[in-house]
Amino acid sequence: MPDKPLNAASDSYHHGDLGNALLAAAETLLHSHGPGGLSLREVARVAGVSHTAPYRHFSNKSALLAALAQRGLERLHDAMAAAAASVPHGPEQQLIAAGVAYVSFAVSHAEIMQLMFGPHIGPAPVGTEKDAFAVLLTIVESGIAAGVFRARDAGELAQVAWSTMHGLAMLITANRLDVDVSDPAALAERVSSVASNVIYGLSR
Amino acid sequence: MPDKPLNAASDSYHHGDLGNALLAAAETLLHSHGPGGLSLREVARVAGVSHTAPYRHFSNKSALLAALAQRGLERLHDAMAAAAASVPHGPEQQLIAAGVAYVSFAVSHAEIMQLMFGPHIGPAPVGTEKDAFAVLLTIVESGIAAGVFRARDAGELAQVAWSTMHGLAMLITANRLDVDVSDPAALAERVSSVASNVIYGLSR
DNA sequence: ACCTGAACACCGTTCAAGT
DNA sequence: ACCTGAACACCGTTCAAGT
């Protein structure tokens, strides 16, 4: 009974979802080998196809890495948005929550962060790379409207917040700050401390 | 008259300074190819030696890259220290000057920054990777002593400053912020603005 | 349409051999 | 001591060929 399965692709010659299978394999290998150590041939091997099959789905290795980075940008945005939404206690707490989400994501996806913000790929497609920034911008805008943040250009304040969180995340994942990344509570404490200092300033 | 030249190595077989010649060649190639795109064989080619000669000076490719990163950390420290020393107008201005130096270095040495803070190499040898941080720490300490900065743990405030400057630098070199990197004045303006916001805070 | 195998021009690293 | 050439096990990418 040679029926065509609609939900499964057990046929195994065309397994139908090779694009996503390759991305999944690449993500696994990225975790163990790091970017640069990832080879397209090994990705194909893990996915169970010949080493030229990936070229049916991605025009080259860079395109695969770019797709991975794109995925990462979306997930980071979602994690930040969810964190901010879960805190109805005002802009300061939302900013801190979004920062904790940012750094937590960076710690558990260090290699993908390198792809997202490194030189491996060009700038992300317009309208998407702003998504993580957009979360911060929204929080800052609501904070200005509520009179909690200074009435400066919101974009400028959001840039300050982004820079600080990004730098903190990169220095922590690069092992430059003495933070135990395996302890989520300690990590959140560190991020909260830095975020609070940015909110209230260094002066006086 | 087969005298041995003491100052020059025009002999050309043993050219005496291959270690540094390799580092110089690697730095040039890094600028044009980016990290990852740099090949040890091409470095040797540029230096005019066989592709195995580098192994007399560096145990492997990672060791060459690590040496390059080490150099970069020292230069960054020197640039920051010089910038801070040239401004005797108090801790706030010194912090801003050091920040401008940090971001300027990052912009003109983007590839080496990736080596310095990326996953390509392990953490820098102890006592050296703290040098850039040490400049910030000194400024913060003097600011606390002068009553200009809050009397918190100086290390904590310096971490905030470092995170912000590092993040700003990385986002700018990754083309994530709309900054014209070819205009030094505009760059300094942007950095000053961010640094000032950190010093005085986002609140109120 | 989708996948494969052979082929090309590269890598990093090792090792016996040369001066 | 310092450097070389051949060799090995890999790469990314292309292309004619298979189903």
Side-chain angles (χ1 to χ4, degrees), chain B residues 16-198:
Chain B
D17 197 22
L18 184 53
N20 283 323
L22 290 169
L23 285 174
E27 200 167 341
T28 302
L29 290 172
L30 204 56
H31 234 100
S32 43
H33 295 59
L38 186 152
S39 100
L40 206 48
R41 289 171 99 114
E42 194 172 8
V43 170
R45 232 175 275 134
V46 169
V49 292
S50 81
H51 63 268
T52 61
Y55 288 91
R56 289 297 125 195
H57 299 266
F58 301 99
S59 59
N60 51 33
K61 186 182 178 179
S62 288
L64 208 195
L65 296 180
L68 228 42
Q70 184 56 38
R71 258 196 183 184
L73 290 169
E74 287 160 14
R75 284 193 210 159
L76 174 57
H77 167 267
D78 293 350
M80 292 175 77
S86 75
V87 179
H89 299 317
E92 297 109 321
Q93 294 303 318
Q94 288 184 336
L95 203 54
I96 291 174
V100 172
Y102 195 101
V103 178
S104 298
F105 181 91
V107 165
S108 49
H109 301 84
E111 303 84 6
I112 294 182
M113 281 291 282
Q114 294 288 339
L115 284 185
M116 288 159 63
F117 296 101
H120 310 273
I121 58 168
V126 179
T128 323
E129 90 282 10
K130 294 253 168 203
D131 278 355
F133 176 69
V135 175
L136 297 173
L137 187 59
T138 302
I139 295 172
V140 168
E141 280 170 347
S142 77
I144 292 177
V148 175
F149 294 146
R150 228 176 310 151
R152 277 211 174 196
D153 175 33
E156 198 170 315
L157 295 190
Q159 262 189 35
V160 175
W162 193 15
S163 294
T164 306
M165 286 306 125
H166 187 70
L168 182 61
M170 298 316 260
L171 291 175
I172 287 176
T173 57
N175 241 322
R176 248 56 176 206
L177 301 181
D178 192 24
V179 176
D180 180 10
V181 295
S182 66
D183 181 353
L187 193 69
E189 216 291 302
R190 199 84 285 278
V191 177
S192 298
S193 165
V194 170
S196 298
N197 273 297
V198 171

Side-chain angles (χ1 to χ4, degrees), chain A:
Chain A
M1 214 190 287
D3 58 336
K4 287 183 195 168
L6 287 174
N7 52 349
S10 46
D11 197 79
S12 103
Y13 181 67
H14 290 177
H15 67 96
D17 196 23
L18 185 53
N20 282 323
L22 290 169
L23 285 174
E27 200 167 343
T28 303
L29 290 172
L30 204 56
H31 233 99
S32 44
H33 296 59
L38 187 152
S39 100
L40 205 49
R41 291 172 98 113
E42 194 172 6
V43 169
R45 232 174 275 134
V46 169
V49 291
S50 81
H51 63 269
T52 61
Y55 287 91
R56 288 295 124 196
H57 299 265
F58 302 98
S59 60
N60 52 31
K61 185 182 177 178
S62 287
L64 208 193
L65 296 180
L68 229 40
Q70 186 54 39
R71 257 197 184 185
L73 289 169
E74 288 160 13
R75 285 193 210 161
L76 174 57
H77 168 266
D78 294 350
M80 291 175 76
S86 75
V87 179
H89 300 317
E92 297 109 320
Q93 294 304 318
Q94 287 183 336
L95 203 54
I96 291 174
V100 171
Y102 195 101
V103 178
S104 297
F105 181 91
V107 164
S108 50
H109 302 83
E111 302 84 6
I112 293 181
M113 281 292 282
Q114 294 289 337
L115 284 184
M116 289 159 63
F117 296 101
H120 309 274
I121 57 167
V126 180
T128 323
E129 90 282 12
K130 295 252 170 206
D131 278 353
F133 176 69
V135 175
L136 296 174
L137 187 60
T138 302
I139 296 173
V140 168
E141 280 170 346
S142 76
I144 291 176
V148 176
F149 294 146
R150 229 178 308 154
R152 279 211 171 196
D153 175 34
E156 198 170 316
L157 296 190
Q159 263 188 34
V160 175
W162 192 17
S163 294
T164 307
M165 286 306 124
H166 187 71
L168 182 61
M170 297 316 260
L171 291 176
I172 287 177
T173 57
N175 240 321
R176 249 55 178 207
L177 301 181
D178 192 25
V179 176
D180 181 10
V181 295
S182 66
D183 181 353
L187 193 70
E189 216 291 304
R190 200 84 284 278
V191 177
S192 298
S193 165
V194 170
S196 298
N197 272 297
V198 170
I199 292 172
Y200 297 114
L202 269 40
S203 290
R204 184 114 65 101

